[in-house]
Amino acid sequence: MTSIMVVDDDQDLAEMLGIVLNGAGYEVDLVSRGDEVMDLFTAQNPDLVLLDVMLPGIDGVEVCKLIREKSMVPIVMLTAKGDTQDVVAGLEAGADDYMVKPFNPTELVARIKVRLRRSNNDLGSGLRIGNIEIDQIAHTIVRGKEVIPLTRLEFDLLVALAKEPGRVFTREALLSEVWGYRPATDTRLVNVHIQRLRSKVEADPENPEIILTVRGVGYKAGVPGSPS
Amino acid sequence: MLQRLRSSLVVRVTFLIVTLSIVVIGLVGSALYNQLSNGVFKEKLNLSLADASSSASSTAFQIALSQFQDAPTSKVILADILSSPSSSADYSGRETAIFPIPNSGSNPSYRGTSNQLMESSIPADFRKLVRKSKNPHWIRTNINYIGGSSEKGLVIGQLLDVSTAGKYEIYTLFSLNQQSQTIALIRNSLWLTGLALTLLIGLIAWLVLRQLIAPVREAARIAEELTAGDLEQRMEVNGEDEIARLGYAFNEMAASLKQQILRLENLSRLQQRFVSDVSHELRTPLTTMRMAAQVLFDAKKEFEPALYRSAELLLSQIERFEGLLTDLLEVSRFDAEAAVMELAKVDLVELVKEAVDYVHPSLERIITVEVKKSDAGVEVPIWVDADKRRINRILRNLLTNALDHHEGKPIEVSVVETDNEVAVGVRDHGIGFNQKERAMLFDRFWRADPSRARTRGGTGLGLSISLEDAKLHQGTLEAWGVPGQGANFVLTLPKYAGGIIKSHPIELIPNSMRASGL
């Protein structure tokens, strides 16, 4: 059964999240302190982490960094602030998505589903983007002989771009494709993750060759096999 | 120079002092000059009068004597008279002229002037005066010599009545050359002194003023730096004079300013902090409530009707509360001047269409959208540098507001672009509003008609927030309305980031209304 770790210091909210997620068919572990997350995370190895930003012990952004050092598990931040700096700090720390309180529980479940879905359809090997080879079965990407670890979201993002090499994706298109959003208003999510992804896969993130920016529109895949 | 006079106190005051000095020195100098030159002249006049009088007596004596003696001929006597030696060297340049008065028994051969003197040196008017009077007279004149030379001089004339030998006019002329020289010397000295004094006064004024003004200049410089934000700047204070007091006062002002600014900054920080805390503290329980309500709502089919409706109401009211909280936080962010814009190129036409679909998704087209582009194209993007979320919010608020008041009549939305601005107009033909209401339209929580049911459940903050959003973009949001004739809301935004609005492409008062004089 898919397990979700809910980290929130508000007992009632955590309990309510438990009820909603149980109702959606997930197993839920509740953690109320930031400094208790890592122990339980190692023991339980959850499939997804719901992480509040304000936590006693260590704050959510720090917890996010700690988890990212060990695991590529999907992380969804819960924030009470819609303010740019908090959101961006969370995303830069490695969170895949975020929900602003008070959120619609139906939407929360929908987002969690998107994050947990495995791209099982049309699995094909030999998908390339730039000089990078994507193995969708092993869920790895290889540059030369070097295997680059990616989070699931980063992998999905790269696959989305690589599947349609000629297409220019707008940020909104990527949002609905990768994050599963309907009202596509927050494009910061895309910007931050494209940057994170570039810092991992590009030889020179300042002059990207794998994920190209199309000014004023969005992004597209680099030409496969181009020299790096 | 005029520029310097205006901009520099030192130059202006020095100029004034020098000007006044010139006037005063001029007045004093000319008074002194008059007095001195008069004195010199008077002295010469007195001496000359005495000399003329004695020479006249001796002439009278010689003429009288010539009647009794068989003495020298008249010619010799005349020569004697005309060349009678002066008593002192001062009287060199003394000339004499004698004219017998006809029909008075005088001897016409006693007529003559000393050597080169021309008779024209003695004015005719003066001679008439002398002939009529017994007393000696004097007048300034030019002493002319045969040969053309001339010099300033004095002529003293008197009537000589030699009882036995008739009447004569006798004139003694004295050169004023020496006196002229003395007076010229005085004049030149006065000029020089005056000039030197003026220059000195100017220099002293300039130096003193500079000394005085230096702390003022310093204060101005420091005030400018304070204005620029360097709150640590202070004036240097020495001594206890007025300037030092200025310094003390200035420094105190700077210190108090700094304190005030820090206090306000602190207040603003506190306010933002409070908003952020309230935000967090309220949102967490609200999230729990919302989830609980949703769970109940999702299970509503199992409830009996009262519970069913309650679950519905609970969820809708929590959503309304949520909207209110969001709006309140937004308002308080505006109040704390903590609102941040996220500018991007957005397609205004697309935004308007999205907003129309959002507020009125039904197929029944009450709202029509008309696009006018500057280059005559239609139905193409109108790009504008704007914060998408805020523009969206303004458009939704305007459209919701129109739908609340349209009374079933059509709503016309127009989008217009010029080179510099873009504008959106939302025109309805509903209940409208009067002047008094118009003034309060953008006030927080103000409602046009309290008895009117709210059909859309707005928070009462929509228009107020929209106005702030428009201002944040350096744009305007204006409203026009007439009771029973509907309303028109016009949003005008600069097309490019940092631009300003130069014209309003959409008229606030609709053309049809202006024609009818409303």
Side-chain angles (χ1 to χ4, degrees), chain A residues 121-136:
Chain A
N121 47 344
D122 61 81
L123 283 180
S125 55
L127 197 57
R128 289 181 67 87
I129 176 167
N131 57 348
I132 282 176
E133 212 166 304
I134 302 172
D135 186 339
Q136 290 194 76

Side-chain angles (χ1 to χ4, degrees), chain B residues 415-481:
Chain B
V415 188
V416 178
E417 178 196 41
T418 65
D419 292 339
N420 192 49
E421 316 62 26
V422 293
V424 180
V426 178
R427 168 89 168 105
D428 70 67
H429 300 271
I431 56 171
F433 45 80
N434 60 35
Q435 287 291 327
K436 205 178 125 201
E437 289 170 322
R438 183 178 167 180
M440 293 182 288
L441 212 56
F442 293 102
D443 290 356
R444 292 168 189 175
F445 294 118
W446 183 79
R447 286 174 187 200
D449 183 357
S451 65
R452 230 177 110 82
R454 300 187 66 81
T455 50
R456 312 233 151 220
T459 59
L461 290 166
L463 285 179
S464 165
I465 291 175
S466 297
L467 182 63
E468 299 278 5
D469 277 335
K471 281 182 185 165
L472 208 59
H473 282 83
Q474 305 299 319
T476 59
L477 177 60
E478 292 170 300
W480 166 93

Side-chain angles (χ1 to χ4, degrees), chain B residues 74-331:
Chain B
S74 55
K75 244 196 183 127
V76 176
I77 292 168
L78 185 66
D80 246 15
I81 292 166
L82 294 181
S83 63
S84 75
S86 53
S87 51
S88 88
D90 284 347
Y91 300 101
S92 64
R94 183 188 118 171
E95 311 292 347
T96 308
I98 184 163
F99 305 106
I101 294 177
N103 309 320
S104 67
S106 56
N107 182 353
S109 59
Y110 292 153
R111 177 193 177 96
T113 58
S114 51
N115 43 21
Q116 302 285 312
L117 186 72
M118 288 173 75
E119 277 180 32
S120 68
S121 301
I122 307 150
D125 288 350
F126 182 63
R127 285 186 61 184
K128 271 185 205 156
L129 182 72
V130 169
R131 277 202 290 272
K132 279 183 197 147
S133 166
K134 282 197 147 79
N135 299 321
H137 288 274
W138 63 270
I139 193 177
R140 283 167 179 272
T141 187
N142 279 328
I143 303 174
N144 301 322
Y145 291 102
I146 296 162
S149 70
S150 163
E151 58 185 54
K152 291 240 177 279
L154 175 70
V155 53
I156 299 169
Q158 56 188 306
L159 197 63
L160 203 60
D161 190 354
V162 186
S163 52
T164 51
K167 293 179 180 171
Y168 299 86
E169 300 161 47
I170 182 157
Y171 298 95
T172 323
L173 295 93
F174 299 90
S175 164
L176 290 176
N177 240 356
Q178 213 174 345
Q179 284 67 34
S180 291
Q181 275 167 23
T182 311
I183 287 166
L185 188 69
I186 291 171
R187 192 180 53 223
N188 288 343
S189 312
L190 282 174
W191 268 117
L192 266 174
T193 316
L195 200 67
L197 261 176
T198 308
L199 284 177
L200 271 175
I201 287 172
L203 191 69
I204 290 169
W206 188 66
L207 287 174
V208 169
L209 280 167
R210 265 178 60 96
Q211 182 84 7
L212 265 177
I213 216 85
V216 178
R217 281 196 177 147
E218 179 71 358
R221 186 185 65 78
I222 289 172
E224 273 162 18
E225 285 188 18
L226 278 171
T227 313
D230 186 356
L231 296 177
E232 300 306 322
Q233 286 285 337
R234 293 290 181 278
M235 274 182 80
E236 217 172 284
V237 180
N238 299 312
E240 288 175 6
D241 56 9
E242 287 84 348
I243 294 298
R245 283 226 301 279
L246 168 70
Y248 278 124
F250 187 92
N251 286 346
E252 262 170 53
M253 183 192 73
S256 136
L257 261 179
K258 184 183 164 189
Q259 211 180 353
Q260 285 287 331
I261 287 168
L262 289 182
R263 201 174 67 86
L264 287 177
E265 273 178 359
N266 201 27
L267 272 178
S268 162
R269 244 199 318 272
L270 277 178
Q271 157 85 3
Q272 273 168 266
R273 179 73 192 279
F274 178 73
V275 167
S276 144
D277 287 352
V278 165
S279 147
H280 187 256
E281 295 305 322
L282 274 180
R283 277 171 187 235
T284 302
L286 191 61
T287 310
T288 314
M289 282 161 70
R290 165 130 205 198
M291 277 194 286
Q294 187 78 45
V295 168
L296 289 177
F297 186 80
D298 289 345
K300 64 183 189 267
K301 284 188 186 111
E302 297 156 26
F303 296 163
E304 53 184 277
L307 284 178
Y308 182 103
R309 182 68 189 132
S310 299
E312 272 184 350
L313 285 175
L314 181 62
L315 187 63
S316 72
Q317 290 313 295
I318 285 173
E319 276 170 356
R320 183 172 162 195
F321 184 80
E322 199 183 308
L324 201 52
L325 178 68
T326 309
D327 280 2
L328 274 174
L329 288 172
E330 196 65 32
V331 164

Side-chain angles (χ1 to χ4, degrees), chain A residues 8-10 12-14 16-17 19-20 52 54 79-84 100-106 108 172 184-185 188 216, chain B residues 276-277 279-281 283-295 298 319 322 325-326 329 333 340 342 383 388-389 392:
Chain A
D8 199 306
D9 61 322
D10 189 285
D12 299 327
L13 178 62
M16 197 64 232
L17 278 169
I19 293 169
V20 169
D52 193 15
M54 289 207 188
T79 168
K81 307 176 191 174
D83 295 336
T84 318
V100 178
K101 294 179 195 173
F103 43 77
N104 183 335
T106 319
L108 176 72
E172 286 81 358
T185 47
R188 286 173 299 190
Chain B
S276 144
D277 287 352
S279 147
H280 187 256
E281 295 305 322
R283 277 171 187 235
T284 302
L286 191 61
T287 310
T288 314
M289 282 161 70
R290 165 130 205 198
M291 277 194 286
Q294 187 78 45
V295 168
D298 289 345
E319 276 170 356
E322 199 183 308
L325 178 68
T326 309
L329 288 172
R333 225 170 274 139
V340 184
E342 283 166 38
W383 294 107
K388 193 172 175 180
R389 184 177 66 96
N392 236 327

